[in-house]
Amino acid sequence: MGINQTYAVFGLGRYGRGVAKELAENGAEVVAVDNREAVVNAAISEIPYCKCADVTDPEALRQIGIANIDVVIVTMANHLEASVMATMLCKELGVKTVITKCATEINCKILTKVGADRVVFPESESGIHLAKNLLSSGFMDIIELSQDVSMVEMEVKQQWIGKNLIELNLRKKYSVNVVAIIQGKNVNTNIDPEMPLTQDMRLIVIANRAKLNKLK
């Protein structure tokens, strides 16, 4: 994901509006959709392309051009049926990544079953936080520890596969510290620096925010 991807945000409540606004302000191409005309009119000053439409209607989604969108964020957590329909239709129409906001664990399981690629809880991840993560291409998650330092979850880069942390010397090259390696459901904080990295691993690193671009 990143700024070169195209985005659609379904639902312009506080969370959805926060996601869409952050994406737009950072230069991403984003269309925001809600079925309430007054809400759409209120948001259009902050989000250049807003559309009043029913996201549970396949024809409405086709008219928006949803098949050409890379990432759809469904934010109607309090309307499970609408979230389910929108998620299913987006996947059927060819959207590669659908991220859905959930109200409960059960809802998350349901939405995952019908095709959501990722689910988020609004109480644990704000709309602005989600947008920043989406724009940070190459990073799966970013947690801001302070104004200057972030903890980042990232995939192993292709050129790192088969090499170990001693060979890569990430601290010197990128000014980052690897604090954990995730593989499947296992989180290993007791890292063997001579262990070769594999494609299915994810790294948790701590880095100065100013240095993060070097990792992308």
Side-chain angles (χ1 to χ4, degrees):
M1 300 185 193
I3 198 168
N4 295 322
Q5 302 284 323
T6 54
Y7 298 89
V9 177
F10 292 174
L12 284 174
R14 185 174 62 179
Y15 187 95
R17 189 164 172 171
V19 175
K21 181 182 176 184
E22 185 72 19
L23 290 169
E25 286 181 348
N26 282 276
E29 184 179 336
V30 55
V31 54
V33 187
D34 198 288
N35 63 356
R36 298 166 294 178
E37 188 171 356
V39 171
V40 170
N41 290 337
I44 202 163
S45 62
E46 298 176 335
I47 307 157
Y49 187 30
C50 292
K51 186 83 173 175
C52 186
D54 179 4
V55 296
T56 66
D57 179 357
E59 186 54 39
L61 294 184
R62 289 190 185 95
Q63 289 180 8
I64 294 169
I66 209 68
N68 299 316
I69 298 293
D70 297 308
V71 183
V72 172
I73 302 108
V74 180
T75 73
M76 303 98 66
N78 294 324
H79 301 280
L80 179 60
E81 184 177 352
S83 295
V84 167
M85 285 297 299
T87 300
M88 290 175 61
L89 288 172
C90 284
K91 296 307 290 186
E92 287 173 5
L93 291 170
V95 177
K96 183 179 179 181
T97 303
V98 178
I99 301 169
T100 308
K101 175 184 162 194
C102 295
T104 67
E105 284 281 0
I106 292 175
N107 287 7
C108 282
K109 290 178 180 178
I110 292 170
L111 288 159
T112 300
K113 289 285 188 185
V114 298
D117 299 286
R118 177 178 170 187
V119 292
V120 294
F121 282 101
E123 58 270 18
S124 63
E125 182 169 23
S126 72
I128 292 174
H129 181 203
L130 174 62
K132 285 181 176 178
N133 285 343
L134 292 172
L135 292 167
S136 300
S137 179
F139 301 145
M140 301 176 71
D141 195 13
I142 296 179
I143 298 172
E144 295 173 0
L145 301 178
S146 72
Q147 187 174 351
D148 300 317
V149 179
S150 295
M151 184 165 68
V152 176
E153 179 182 345
M154 61 180 293
E155 296 175 337
V156 174
K157 290 178 173 290
Q158 191 68 34
Q159 62 267 33
W160 296 354
I161 295 172
K163 298 179 180 178
N164 61 43
L165 294 178
I166 295 174
E167 293 174 285
L168 293 170
N169 201 2
L170 300 180
R171 183 179 297 179
K172 182 178 181 180
K173 291 181 180 177
Y174 299 100
S175 303
V176 303
N177 292 302
V178 179
V179 296
I181 294 178
I182 302 173
Q183 193 167 23
K185 295 183 178 180
N186 297 320
V187 181
N188 180 18
T189 57
N190 186 21
I191 302 168
D192 177 1
E194 296 184 350
M195 176 180 62
L197 300 180
T198 59
Q199 191 170 14
D200 64 335
M201 290 177 175
R202 305 193 306 278
L203 306 181
I204 305 294
V205 305
I206 292 178
N208 187 293
R209 291 176 64 188
K211 305 287 187 179
L212 287 179
N213 282 337
K214 293 174 68 177
L215 280 174
K216 292 182 183 178

